[in-house]
Amino acid sequence: MKAELLFDAQAALGEGPAWDAKSQTLYWVDILEKRIYAGSRVVAQLERFIGCLAPRRGGGLIAALSDGAGSSFFVDLQPDTARQSVLAAVHEPAANRFNDGKCDPAGRFLAGTMAMNESDPTGALYSFDGKRVVKLFGGATISNGLTWSPDYKTFYYIDTPTRKVQAFDYDLATGQVANPRAAIQIPASLGWADGMTSDAEGNLWIAMWGGAQVTRWNPQTGRLLEQIPVPALQTSSCAFGGKDMNELYVTSARKGMSASDLKKYPLSGGLFKVETKVAGLPAFEFAQTVPQAS
Ligand code: CA
């Protein structure tokens, strides 16, 4: 498998790829440049940091925004006009901003936060069902990749500095997590685990910050299965898309790179695509309100 450059975006912090099946569009963000892309097109230039987004079932997007001065929100966002309406405010320390997030299979939007100094463990993971914001847990330093097993009963989560992927029991009816345990230990030689997605076989695909690669893991055994080189040092996140959900879209960043690293990896900040032999889980949409458990 090979990573093919789709767009030489030169993004400062390309992140949050999300496939919109309705329009067959890959949305992604540049957190630091406060920008939303659809493929190679900038569809919105915002005034706040955008941590992540997801398509909404009824059209448009849900996004997690922070102004870097104490205000964080979930908003409804229309990508072509950048028109925003606040859905919920999230109470976070002033030094925090939203980071990675995505929808669960029931249509909730989960998004994590981090301290902008990348060292205080003041981050948290939130779940929003359209009515209520629930804090699933706190104590995260850099809340990052999240995904589910194919039966949706297990939730996988990365707090990057821990060098671990944690597994939780996931209750799809209530959106609650329980029973955290370490599923994968990430060796330092691979870089830092950042964004994550999962495939139909239940294996995890993890973008490696500082590692110039995407890695594929079996979370049952903790074993590394495959390494796909990406010509961008700060490989930041990945998401499946395409008609058959067998295209892995990979974002990257230029943040935190030395002049010599930038010379060695000039495509850093680009958007890449890998054709895979396995399909990913479906891309989940924000459902506005989650059906109540019976
Ligand atoms: Ca990230």
Side-chain angles (χ1 to χ4, degrees), residues 24-88:
Q24 298 281 298
T25 301
L26 191 274
Y27 287 101
W28 58 285
V29 305
D30 185 330
I31 295 178
L32 298 178
E33 297 289 347
K34 307 172 179 172
R35 205 171 274 171
I36 300 174
Y37 287 88
S40 59
R41 188 165 62 95
V42 176
V43 291
Q45 177 66 54
L46 308 173
E47 289 171 0
R48 298 186 176 93
F49 298 113
I50 174 162
C52 52
L53 55 71
R56 293 187 72 160
R57 197 165 288 169
L61 306 170
I62 180 171
L65 305 184
S66 302
D67 68 0
S71 292
S72 288
F73 307 94
F74 293 126
V75 301
D76 173 275
L77 199 148
Q78 298 303 317
D80 288 317
T81 58
R83 191 182 61 77
Q84 297 164 34
S85 50
V86 175
L87 299 171

Side-chain angles (χ1 to χ4, degrees), residues 23-218:
S23 61
Q24 298 281 298
T25 301
L26 191 274
Y27 287 101
W28 58 285
V29 305
D30 185 330
I31 295 178
L32 298 178
E33 297 289 347
K34 307 172 179 172
R35 205 171 274 171
I36 300 174
Y37 287 88
S40 59
R41 188 165 62 95
V42 176
V43 291
Q45 177 66 54
L46 308 173
E47 289 171 0
R48 298 186 176 93
F49 298 113
I50 174 162
C52 52
L53 55 71
R56 293 187 72 160
R57 197 165 288 169
L61 306 170
I62 180 171
L65 305 184
S66 302
D67 68 0
S71 292
S72 288
F73 307 94
F74 293 126
V75 301
D76 173 275
L77 199 148
Q78 298 303 317
D80 288 317
T81 58
R83 191 182 61 77
Q84 297 164 34
S85 50
V86 175
L87 299 171
V90 180
H91 301 288
E92 274 284 288
N96 283 13
R97 67 160 171 81
F98 268 117
N99 201 39
D100 207 341
K102 66 178 57 159
C103 285
D104 84 355
R108 299 177 189 87
F109 188 53
L110 275 70
T113 59
M114 57 178 278
M116 284 180 286
N117 69 10
E118 305 183 2
S119 60
D120 296 337
T122 55
L125 184 69
Y126 295 93
S127 174
F128 177 53
D129 67 1
K131 288 181 182 156
R132 239 164 27 103
V133 178
V134 175
K135 185 177 184 172
L136 295 179
F137 50 80
T141 304
I142 304 180
S143 188
N144 247 323
L146 58 163
T147 194
W148 287 265
S149 59
D151 65 4
Y152 309 151
K153 289 181 178 166
T154 306
F155 173 65
Y156 297 104
Y157 175 79
I158 293 168
D159 178 2
T160 294
T162 65
R163 293 196 186 279
K164 266 184 225 160
V165 178
Q166 277 205 298
F168 295 76
D169 298 338
Y170 196 75
D171 184 334
L172 196 58
T174 65
Q176 289 295 326
V177 293
N179 188 24
R181 64 267 181 196
I184 296 168
Q185 299 279 349
I186 308 282
S189 59
L190 296 177
W192 297 94
D194 195 336
M196 168 167 65
T197 190
S198 42
D199 65 36
E201 294 173 359
N203 295 313
L204 305 182
W205 298 71
I206 302 177
M208 305 307 302
W209 183 266
Q213 61 188 290
V214 171
T215 51
R216 184 181 184 221
W217 302 79
N218 180 337

Side-chain angles (χ1 to χ4, degrees), residues 251-272:
T251 55
S252 67
R254 298 177 75 78
K255 177 184 182 281
M257 290 178 66
S258 67
S260 66
D261 283 343
L262 287 168
K263 203 168 167 195
K264 187 172 170 198
Y265 296 97
L267 299 179
S268 288
L271 175 69
F272 301 86

